Coordinates of all heavy atoms in Angstrom, one line a residue:
M1 N 99.5 93.0 102.0 CA 100.2 93.8 101.1 C 101.7 93.5 101.3 O 102.1 93.1 102.4 CB 99.9 95.3 101.4 CG 100.3 96.2 100.2 SD 99.6 97.9 100.3 CE 97.9 97.6 99.7
S2 N 102.5 93.8 100.3 CA 103.9 93.5 100.4 C 104.6 94.5 99.5 O 104.0 95.2 98.7 CB 104.3 92.1 100.0 OG 103.9 91.9 98.6
A3 N 105.9 94.5 99.6 CA 106.8 95.4 98.8 C 107.8 94.6 98.0 O 108.3 93.6 98.5 CB 107.5 96.5 99.6
T4 N 108.1 95.1 96.8 CA 109.1 94.4 96.0 C 110.4 95.2 96.2 O 110.4 96.5 96.1 CB 108.7 94.4 94.5 OG1 107.5 93.7 94.4 CG2 109.8 93.8 93.7
I5 N 111.5 94.5 96.5 CA 112.8 95.1 96.5 C 113.7 94.2 95.5 O 113.1 93.5 94.7 CB 113.4 95.2 97.9 CG1 113.6 93.9 98.6 CG2 112.6 96.2 98.7 CD1 114.4 93.9 99.9
Q6 N 114.9 94.2 95.7 CA 115.8 93.5 94.8 C 116.6 92.4 95.5 O 116.9 92.5 96.7 CB 116.8 94.5 94.2 CG 117.6 94.0 93.0 CD 118.5 95.1 92.5 OE1 119.2 95.7 93.3 NE2 118.6 95.2 91.2
Q7 N 116.9 91.3 94.8 CA 117.6 90.2 95.4 C 118.6 89.7 94.5 O 118.4 89.6 93.3 CB 116.6 89.0 95.8 CG 117.3 87.9 96.5 CD 116.3 86.9 97.0 OE1 115.3 86.6 96.4 NE2 116.6 86.3 98.2
C8 N 119.8 89.3 95.0 CA 120.9 88.7 94.2 C 120.4 87.3 93.9 O 120.1 86.5 94.9 CB 122.2 88.8 94.9 SG 123.5 87.9 94.0
L9 N 120.5 86.9 92.7 CA 120.1 85.5 92.3 C 121.2 84.5 92.5 O 121.0 83.3 92.5 CB 119.6 85.5 90.9 CG 118.4 86.4 90.5 CD1 118.0 86.3 89.1 CD2 117.2 86.1 91.4
D10 N 122.4 85.0 92.8 CA 123.5 84.1 93.1 C 123.7 83.8 94.6 O 123.8 82.7 94.9 CB 124.8 84.8 92.5 CG 124.8 84.9 91.0 OD1 124.3 83.9 90.4 OD2 125.3 85.9 90.5
C11 N 123.6 84.8 95.4 CA 123.8 84.6 96.9 C 122.6 84.8 97.7 O 122.7 84.7 98.9 CB 125.0 85.4 97.3 SG 124.7 87.1 97.5
T12 N 121.5 85.3 97.1 CA 120.2 85.5 97.8 C 120.2 86.7 98.7 O 119.2 87.0 99.4 CB 119.6 84.3 98.5 OG1 120.4 84.1 99.7 CG2 119.6 83.1 97.7
T13 N 121.2 87.6 98.7 CA 121.2 88.8 99.5 C 120.1 89.7 99.0 O 119.9 90.0 97.8 CB 122.6 89.5 99.4 OG1 123.6 88.6 99.9 CG2 122.6 90.8 100.2
L14 N 119.3 90.2 100.0 CA 118.3 91.2 99.7 C 118.9 92.6 99.6 O 119.8 92.9 100.4 CB 117.2 91.2 100.7 CG 116.3 89.9 100.7 CD1 115.4 89.9 102.0 CD2 115.5 89.8 99.5
L15 N 118.5 93.4 98.6 CA 119.2 94.7 98.4 C 118.2 95.8 98.3 O 117.1 95.7 97.7 CB 119.9 94.6 97.0 CG 120.9 93.5 96.8 CD1 121.3 93.4 95.4 CD2 122.1 93.7 97.7
F16 N 118.5 96.9 98.9 CA 117.8 98.2 98.8 C 118.7 99.3 99.2 O 119.4 99.2 100.2 CB 116.6 98.2 99.8 CG 115.7 99.5 99.6 CD1 114.7 99.5 98.7 CD2 116.0 100.6 100.4 CE1 114.0 100.7 98.6 CE2 115.3 101.7 100.3 CZ 114.3 101.8 99.3
P17 N 118.8 100.3 98.4 CA 118.1 100.6 97.1 C 118.7 99.6 96.0 O 119.6 98.9 96.3 CB 118.4 102.0 96.8 CG 119.7 102.3 97.5 CD 119.7 101.4 98.7
L18 N 118.1 99.7 94.8 CA 118.5 98.9 93.7 C 119.9 99.1 93.4 O 120.5 100.2 93.5 CB 117.6 99.2 92.5 CG 116.1 99.0 92.7 CD1 115.4 99.4 91.3 CD2 115.8 97.6 93.1
R19 N 120.5 98.0 93.0 CA 122.0 98.0 92.6 C 122.2 97.5 91.2 O 121.3 96.8 90.7 CB 122.8 97.1 93.6 CG 122.5 97.4 95.1 CD 123.1 98.7 95.5 NE 122.8 99.0 96.8 CZ 123.6 98.7 97.9 NH1 124.8 98.1 97.7 NH2 123.3 99.1 99.1
L20 N 123.3 97.8 90.7 CA 123.7 97.2 89.4 C 124.5 95.9 89.6 O 124.5 95.0 88.8 CB 124.6 98.2 88.6 CG 123.8 99.4 88.2 CD1 124.8 100.4 87.6 CD2 122.7 99.1 87.2
L21 N 125.2 95.8 90.8 CA 125.9 94.6 91.1 C 125.7 94.3 92.6 O 125.5 95.2 93.4 CB 127.4 94.8 90.9 CG 127.9 95.0 89.5 CD1 129.4 95.4 89.5 CD2 127.7 93.8 88.6
C22 N 125.7 93.0 93.0 CA 125.6 92.6 94.4 C 126.8 93.0 95.2 O 127.9 92.7 94.8 CB 125.3 91.1 94.5 SG 125.3 90.5 96.1
P23 N 126.6 93.8 96.3 CA 127.8 94.2 97.1 C 128.4 93.0 97.9 O 129.5 93.1 98.4 CB 127.2 95.3 98.0 CG 125.8 95.0 98.1 CD 125.4 94.4 96.7
S24 N 127.6 91.9 98.0 CA 128.1 90.8 98.8 C 129.0 89.9 98.0 O 130.1 89.4 98.4 CB 126.9 90.0 99.4 OG 126.3 90.7 100.3
C25 N 128.5 89.5 96.7 CA 129.3 88.6 95.9 C 129.8 89.1 94.6 O 130.5 88.4 93.9 CB 128.5 87.3 95.7 SG 127.1 87.5 94.5
G26 N 129.4 90.3 94.3 CA 129.8 90.9 93.0 C 129.0 90.5 91.8 O 129.3 90.9 90.7
G27 N 128.0 89.6 92.0 CA 127.3 89.1 90.9 C 126.3 90.1 90.3 O 126.0 91.1 90.9
G28 N 126.0 89.9 89.0 CA 125.2 90.9 88.3 C 123.8 90.3 88.0 O 123.0 91.0 87.4
R29 N 123.5 89.1 88.5 CA 122.2 88.5 88.2 C 121.3 88.9 89.4 O 121.3 88.3 90.5 CB 122.3 87.0 88.1 CG 123.1 86.5 86.9 CD 123.1 85.0 86.7 NE 122.9 84.2 87.9 CZ 121.8 83.4 88.1 NH1 120.9 83.3 87.3 NH2 121.7 82.8 89.3
L30 N 120.5 90.0 89.2 CA 119.6 90.5 90.2 C 118.2 90.4 89.8 O 117.9 90.6 88.6 CB 120.0 92.0 90.5 CG 121.5 92.2 90.8 CD1 121.8 93.7 90.9 CD2 121.9 91.5 92.1
G31 N 117.3 90.2 90.7 CA 115.9 90.1 90.4 C 115.0 90.6 91.5 O 115.5 91.0 92.6
P32 N 113.7 90.6 91.3 CA 112.8 91.1 92.3 C 112.6 90.1 93.5 O 112.7 88.9 93.3 CB 111.5 91.4 91.6 CG 111.6 90.4 90.4 CD 113.0 90.3 90.1
A33 N 112.3 90.6 94.6 CA 112.0 89.8 95.8 C 110.9 90.5 96.6 O 110.8 91.8 96.6 CB 113.2 89.6 96.7
T34 N 110.1 89.8 97.2 CA 109.0 90.3 98.0 C 109.2 90.2 99.5 O 109.6 89.2 100.0 CB 107.7 89.6 97.6 OG1 107.4 89.7 96.2 CG2 106.5 90.1 98.4
I35 N 109.0 91.4 100.2 CA 109.1 91.4 101.6 C 107.8 91.9 102.2 O 107.1 92.7 101.5 CB 110.3 92.2 102.1 CG1 110.2 93.6 101.5 CG2 111.6 91.5 101.8 CD1 111.3 94.5 102.0
E36 N 107.4 91.4 103.3 CA 106.1 91.7 103.9 C 106.1 92.8 104.9 O 105.2 93.7 104.9 CB 105.5 90.4 104.5 CG 105.3 89.3 103.6 CD 104.3 89.5 102.5 OE1 103.3 90.2 102.8 OE2 104.5 89.0 101.4
A37 N 107.0 92.8 105.8 CA 106.9 93.7 107.0 C 108.3 94.0 107.5 O 109.3 93.4 107.1 CB 106.1 93.1 108.1
G38 N 108.3 95.0 108.4 CA 109.6 95.4 109.0 C 109.3 96.1 110.3 O 108.2 96.4 110.7
T39 N 110.4 96.4 111.0 CA 110.3 97.1 112.3 C 110.9 98.5 112.2 O 112.1 98.6 111.7 CB 111.1 96.3 113.4 OG1 110.5 94.9 113.4 CG2 110.9 96.9 114.7
I40 N 110.2 99.5 112.7 CA 110.7 100.8 112.6 C 111.9 101.0 113.6 O 111.8 100.6 114.8 CB 109.6 101.8 113.0 CG1 108.5 101.8 112.0 CG2 110.2 103.2 113.1 CD1 107.3 102.6 112.3
E41 N 113.0 101.4 113.0 CA 114.2 101.7 113.9 C 114.2 103.2 114.3 O 114.7 103.5 115.4 CB 115.5 101.4 113.1 CG 115.7 99.9 112.9 CD 117.0 99.5 112.3 OE1 117.7 100.4 111.7 OE2 117.4 98.4 112.4
H42 N 113.8 104.0 113.4 CA 113.8 105.5 113.7 C 112.8 106.2 112.8 O 112.7 105.8 111.7 CB 115.2 106.1 113.5 CG 115.3 107.5 113.9 ND1 115.4 108.0 115.1 CD2 115.3 108.6 113.1 CE1 115.4 109.3 115.1 NE2 115.3 109.7 113.8
A43 N 112.1 107.1 113.3 CA 111.1 107.9 112.5 C 111.3 109.4 112.8 O 111.7 109.8 113.9 CB 109.7 107.4 112.8
T44 N 111.1 110.2 111.7 CA 111.2 111.6 111.9 C 110.1 112.2 111.1 O 109.7 111.7 110.0 CB 112.6 112.1 111.4 OG1 112.7 113.5 111.7 CG2 112.8 111.9 109.9
T45 N 109.5 113.3 111.6 CA 108.5 114.0 110.9 C 109.0 115.3 110.3 O 109.6 116.1 110.9 CB 107.3 114.4 111.9 OG1 106.9 113.2 112.5 CG2 106.2 115.1 111.1
L46 N 108.8 115.5 108.9 CA 109.3 116.6 108.2 C 108.3 117.8 108.5 O 107.2 117.6 109.0 CB 109.4 116.4 106.7 CG 110.2 115.2 106.3 CD1 110.3 115.0 104.8 CD2 111.6 115.3 106.9
H47 N 108.8 119.0 108.1 CA 108.0 120.2 108.4 C 106.6 120.2 107.7 O 105.7 120.8 108.2 CB 108.7 121.5 107.9 CG 108.9 121.6 106.5 ND1 109.8 120.9 105.8 CD2 108.2 122.3 105.6 CE1 109.7 121.2 104.5 NE2 108.7 122.0 104.3
D48 N 106.5 119.4 106.6 CA 105.2 119.3 105.9 C 104.3 118.2 106.5 O 103.2 117.9 105.9 CB 105.4 119.2 104.4 CG 106.0 117.9 104.0 OD1 106.4 117.1 104.9 OD2 106.1 117.6 102.8
G49 N 104.7 117.5 107.5 CA 103.9 116.4 108.1 C 104.3 115.0 107.6 O 103.8 114.0 108.1
T50 N 105.1 114.9 106.6 CA 105.5 113.6 106.0 C 106.4 112.9 107.1 O 107.3 113.5 107.7 CB 106.4 113.8 104.8 OG1 105.6 114.5 103.8 CG2 106.8 112.5 104.2
V51 N 106.1 111.7 107.3 CA 106.9 110.9 108.3 C 107.8 109.9 107.6 O 107.3 109.1 106.8 CB 106.0 110.1 109.3 CG1 106.8 109.4 110.3 CG2 105.0 111.1 109.9
L52 N 109.1 110.1 107.7 CA 110.0 109.2 107.1 C 110.6 108.3 108.2 O 110.8 108.7 109.3 CB 111.2 109.9 106.4 CG 110.8 110.8 105.3 CD1 112.0 111.6 104.7 CD2 110.1 110.1 104.2
A53 N 110.9 107.0 107.8 CA 111.4 106.1 108.8 C 112.5 105.2 108.2 O 112.5 104.9 107.0 CB 110.3 105.3 109.4
T54 N 113.4 104.8 109.1 CA 114.3 103.7 108.8 C 113.6 102.4 109.3 O 113.2 102.3 110.4 CB 115.7 103.8 109.5 OG1 116.2 105.1 109.1 CG2 116.6 102.7 109.1
V55 N 113.3 101.5 108.3 CA 112.6 100.3 108.7 C 113.5 99.1 108.4 O 114.0 98.9 107.3 CB 111.3 100.2 107.8 CG1 110.6 98.9 108.1 CG2 110.4 101.4 108.0
R56 N 113.7 98.3 109.4 CA 114.5 97.0 109.2 C 113.6 96.0 108.7 O 112.7 95.5 109.4 CB 115.2 96.6 110.5 CG 116.0 95.3 110.5 CD 117.2 95.4 109.6 NE 118.1 96.4 110.1 CZ 119.3 96.7 109.5 NH1 119.6 96.1 108.4 NH2 120.0 97.7 109.9
S57 N 113.8 95.6 107.5 CA 112.9 94.5 106.9 C 113.2 93.2 107.5 O 114.3 92.9 108.0 CB 113.1 94.5 105.4 OG 114.4 94.1 105.0
D58 N 112.2 92.3 107.5 CA 112.3 91.0 108.1 C 113.3 90.2 107.2 O 113.0 89.9 106.1 CB 111.0 90.3 108.1 CG 110.0 90.9 109.1 OD1 110.5 91.7 110.0 OD2 108.8 90.6 109.0
G59 N 114.5 89.9 107.8 CA 115.4 89.1 107.1 C 116.2 89.9 106.0 O 116.9 89.3 105.2
G60 N 116.1 91.2 106.0 CA 116.7 91.9 104.9 C 117.3 93.2 105.3 O 117.6 93.5 106.5
P61 N 117.5 94.1 104.4 CA 118.2 95.4 104.6 C 117.3 96.4 105.3 O 116.1 96.3 105.4 CB 118.5 95.9 103.2 CG 117.4 95.3 102.4 CD 117.1 94.0 103.0
A62 N 117.9 97.5 105.8 CA 117.2 98.6 106.3 C 116.7 99.4 105.1 O 117.4 99.6 104.1 CB 118.1 99.5 107.2
L63 N 115.5 99.9 105.2 CA 114.8 100.7 104.1 C 114.5 102.0 104.6 O 114.1 102.2 105.8 CB 113.5 100.0 103.7 CG 113.6 98.5 103.4 CD1 112.2 97.9 103.4 CD2 114.3 98.2 102.2
I64 N 114.6 103.0 103.7 CA 114.1 104.4 104.1 C 112.7 104.4 103.4 O 112.5 104.2 102.2 CB 115.0 105.5 103.5 CG1 116.4 105.3 103.9 CG2 114.4 106.8 103.8 CD1 116.6 105.4 105.5
A65 N 111.7 104.6 104.3 CA 110.3 104.6 103.8 C 109.5 105.7 104.3 O 109.9 106.4 105.3 CB 109.7 103.3 104.4
R66 N 108.4 106.0 103.6 CA 107.5 107.0 104.1 C 106.3 106.3 104.8 O 105.7 105.4 104.2 CB 106.9 107.8 102.9 CG 105.9 108.9 103.3 CD 105.3 109.7 102.2 NE 104.8 109.0 101.1 CZ 103.6 108.4 101.1 NH1 102.8 108.5 102.1 NH2 103.2 107.8 100.0
L67 N 106.1 106.6 106.0 CA 105.0 106.0 106.8 C 103.7 106.6 106.4 O 103.6 107.8 106.2 CB 105.2 106.2 108.3 CG 106.5 105.6 108.8 CD1 106.6 105.7 110.3 CD2 106.7 104.1 108.4
T68 N 102.6 105.8 106.3 CA 101.3 106.3 105.9 C 100.5 106.7 107.1 O 99.4 107.3 107.0 CB 100.5 105.2 105.1 OG1 100.4 104.0 105.9 CG2 101.2 104.8 103.8
S69 N 101.0 106.5 108.3 CA 100.4 107.0 109.5 C 101.5 107.0 110.6 O 102.5 106.3 110.4 CB 99.3 106.1 110.0 OG 99.7 104.7 110.2
P70 N 101.4 107.9 111.6 CA 102.4 108.0 112.6 C 102.7 106.7 113.3 O 101.8 105.9 113.5 CB 101.9 109.0 113.6 CG 100.9 109.8 112.8 CD 100.3 108.8 111.8
A71 N 103.9 106.4 113.6 CA 104.3 105.2 114.3 C 105.6 105.5 115.0 O 106.4 106.4 114.7 CB 104.5 104.0 113.3
A72 N 105.9 104.7 116.0 CA 107.1 104.9 116.8 C 108.1 103.7 116.6 O 107.8 102.7 116.1 CB 106.8 105.0 118.3
A73 N 109.4 104.0 117.0 CA 110.4 103.0 116.9 C 110.0 101.7 117.7 O 109.3 101.8 118.7 CB 111.7 103.5 117.5
G74 N 110.3 100.6 117.1 CA 109.9 99.3 117.7 C 108.6 98.7 117.1 O 108.3 97.6 117.3
E75 N 107.8 99.6 116.5 CA 106.5 99.1 115.9 C 106.8 98.4 114.6 O 107.7 98.7 113.9 CB 105.5 100.2 115.7 CG 105.0 100.9 117.0 CD 103.9 101.9 116.7 OE1 103.1 101.7 115.8 OE2 103.9 102.9 117.5
T76 N 105.9 97.4 114.3 CA 106.0 96.7 113.0 C 105.0 97.4 112.1 O 103.9 97.7 112.4 CB 105.5 95.2 113.3 OG1 106.4 94.6 114.2 CG2 105.5 94.5 111.9
V77 N 105.5 97.5 110.8 CA 104.7 98.1 109.8 C 104.7 97.2 108.6 O 105.7 96.4 108.4 CB 105.2 99.5 109.3 CG1 104.9 100.5 110.4 CG2 106.7 99.5 109.0
F78 N 103.7 97.2 107.8 CA 103.6 96.4 106.5 C 104.3 97.3 105.4 O 104.0 98.5 105.3 CB 102.2 96.0 106.2 CG 101.6 95.1 107.2 CD1 100.7 95.5 108.1 CD2 101.9 93.8 107.1 CE1 100.1 94.7 109.0 CE2 101.4 92.9 108.1 CZ 100.5 93.3 109.0
L79 N 105.1 96.6 104.6 CA 105.8 97.3 103.6 C 104.9 97.3 102.3 O 104.2 96.3 102.0 CB 107.1 96.7 103.3 CG 108.1 96.8 104.6 CD1 109.2 95.8 104.5 CD2 108.6 98.2 104.7
T80 N 105.0 98.3 101.5 CA 104.2 98.4 100.3 C 105.0 99.3 99.2 O 105.8 100.1 99.6 CB 102.8 99.0 100.5 OG1 102.1 99.0 99.3 CG2 102.9 100.4 101.1
N81 N 104.6 99.0 98.0 CA 105.1 99.9 96.9 C 104.0 100.8 96.4 O 104.1 101.6 95.5 CB 105.6 99.1 95.7 CG 106.8 98.2 96.0 OD1 106.7 97.0 95.8 ND2 107.8 98.7 96.5
D82 N 102.8 100.8 97.1 CA 101.7 101.6 96.8 C 101.7 102.9 97.6 O 101.6 102.9 98.8 CB 100.4 100.8 97.1 CG 99.2 101.7 96.8 OD1 99.3 102.8 96.3 OD2 98.1 101.1 97.1
P83 N 102.0 104.0 96.9 CA 102.1 105.3 97.7 C 100.8 105.7 98.4 O 100.8 106.6 99.3 CB 102.5 106.3 96.6 CG 102.1 105.7 95.3 CD 102.2 104.2 95.5
D84 N 99.7 105.1 97.9 CA 98.4 105.5 98.5 C 97.8 104.4 99.5 O 96.6 104.4 99.8 CB 97.3 105.7 97.4 CG 97.8 106.8 96.4 OD1 98.2 107.8 96.9 OD2 97.6 106.6 95.2
A85 N 98.7 103.5 100.0 CA 98.3 102.5 100.9 C 97.7 103.1 102.2 O 98.1 104.2 102.6 CB 99.5 101.6 101.3
G86 N 96.8 102.4 102.8 CA 96.2 102.9 104.0 C 97.1 102.9 105.2 O 98.3 102.6 105.1
P87 N 96.6 103.4 106.4 CA 97.4 103.5 107.6 C 98.1 102.2 108.0 O 97.6 101.1 107.7 CB 96.3 103.9 108.7 CG 95.2 104.5 107.9 CD 95.2 103.8 106.6
G88 N 99.2 102.3 108.6 CA 100.0 101.2 109.1 C 100.9 100.6 108.1 O 101.5 99.5 108.3
H89 N 101.2 101.4 107.0 CA 102.1 100.9 106.0 C 103.3 101.8 105.9 O 103.3 102.9 106.3 CB 101.4 100.8 104.6 CG 100.4 99.7 104.5 ND1 99.1 99.9 104.9 CD2 100.5 98.5 104.0 CE1 98.5 98.8 104.7 NE2 99.3 97.9 104.2
A90 N 104.4 101.2 105.4 CA 105.6 102.0 105.0 C 105.8 101.8 103.5 O 106.0 100.7 103.0 CB 106.8 101.4 105.8
F91 N 105.7 103.0 102.9 CA 105.9 103.0 101.4 C 107.3 103.1 101.0 O 108.1 103.9 101.4 CB 105.1 104.2 100.8 CG 105.5 104.5 99.4 CD1 105.2 103.7 98.4 CD2 106.2 105.7 99.1 CE1 105.5 104.0 97.1 CE2 106.6 106.0 97.8 CZ 106.3 105.2 96.8
V92 N 107.8 102.1 100.1 CA 109.1 102.1 99.6 C 108.9 102.1 98.0 O 108.2 101.3 97.5 CB 109.9 100.9 99.9 CG1 111.1 101.2 100.8 CG2 109.1 99.8 100.5
P93 N 109.5 103.1 97.4 CA 109.4 103.1 95.9 C 110.1 102.0 95.3 O 111.1 101.5 95.8 CB 110.0 104.5 95.5 CG 110.9 104.8 96.6 CD 110.4 104.2 97.9
F94 N 109.6 101.5 94.1 CA 110.3 100.4 93.4 C 110.2 100.7 91.9 O 109.1 100.9 91.4 CB 109.7 99.1 93.7 CG 110.4 97.9 92.9 CD1 111.6 97.5 93.4 CD2 109.9 97.4 91.8 CE1 112.3 96.5 92.7 CE2 110.5 96.4 91.1 CZ 111.7 95.9 91.5
T95 N 111.3 100.6 91.2 CA 111.3 100.6 89.8 C 112.2 99.5 89.4 O 113.1 99.1 90.2 CB 111.9 101.9 89.2 OG1 113.2 102.1 89.6 CG2 111.1 103.1 89.6
D96 N 112.1 99.0 88.2 CA 113.0 97.9 87.9 C 114.3 98.3 87.3 O 115.1 97.5 87.0 CB 112.4 96.8 86.9 CG 111.1 97.2 86.3 OD1 110.8 98.4 86.2 OD2 110.4 96.3 85.9
T97 N 114.6 99.6 87.3 CA 115.9 100.1 86.7 C 116.6 100.9 87.8 O 116.1 101.9 88.2 CB 115.6 100.9 85.5 OG1 114.8 100.2 84.6 CG2 116.9 101.3 84.9
P98 N 117.8 100.4 88.2 CA 118.5 101.2 89.2 C 119.0 102.5 88.6 O 119.2 102.6 87.4 CB 119.8 100.4 89.5 CG 119.5 99.0 88.9 CD 118.5 99.2 87.8
S99 N 119.0 103.6 89.4 CA 119.5 104.9 88.9 C 121.0 104.8 88.8 O 121.7 104.1 89.5 CB 119.1 106.0 89.8 OG 119.7 105.8 91.1
R100 N 121.5 105.5 87.8 CA 122.9 105.6 87.6 C 123.4 106.9 88.1 O 123.0 107.9 87.6 CB 123.3 105.3 86.2 CG 122.8 104.0 85.7 CD 123.4 103.5 84.5 NE 124.9 103.8 84.5 CZ 125.7 103.3 83.6 NH1 125.3 102.5 82.7 NH2 127.0 103.6 83.7
E101 N 124.3 106.9 89.0 CA 124.8 108.1 89.6 C 125.7 108.9 88.7 O 126.0 110.1 88.9 CB 125.6 107.8 90.9 CG 124.6 107.3 92.0 CD 125.4 106.9 93.2 OE1 126.6 107.1 93.3 OE2 124.7 106.4 94.2
D102 N 126.2 108.3 87.6 CA 127.1 108.9 86.7 C 126.4 109.7 85.5 O 127.0 110.1 84.6 CB 128.2 108.0 86.1 CG 127.5 106.8 85.3 OD1 126.3 106.7 85.4 OD2 128.3 106.2 84.6
Q103 N 125.1 109.7 85.6 CA 124.3 110.4 84.5 C 123.9 111.7 85.0 O 123.6 112.0 86.1 CB 123.1 109.6 84.1 CG 123.6 108.3 83.4 CD 122.4 107.5 82.9 OE1 121.3 107.7 83.4 NE2 122.6 106.6 82.0
Ligands
ZN1 ZN1 125.2 88.2 95.6

């Protein structure tokens, strides 16, 4: 399983969350990129049992993800865009349209 995030087509920088312009080169040609796994940097459990984590993707940005099973810092998790993925995954939402903060 893998997750789709965004990549600048000009300088290849991986981006999360989605952007309208690349913060590295200023380019506007952005497309999807697939990443497989990441390492948990920090995890926290909410009052309802949801576990959120900062996950450093392999070769890419840090992602805020919902873990599908408890895990500790330093563990490797597989990234997914499927909110119903089984244990051992970190769910990251993906849409092809970045949100606009001015709306
Ligand atoms: Zn770029």
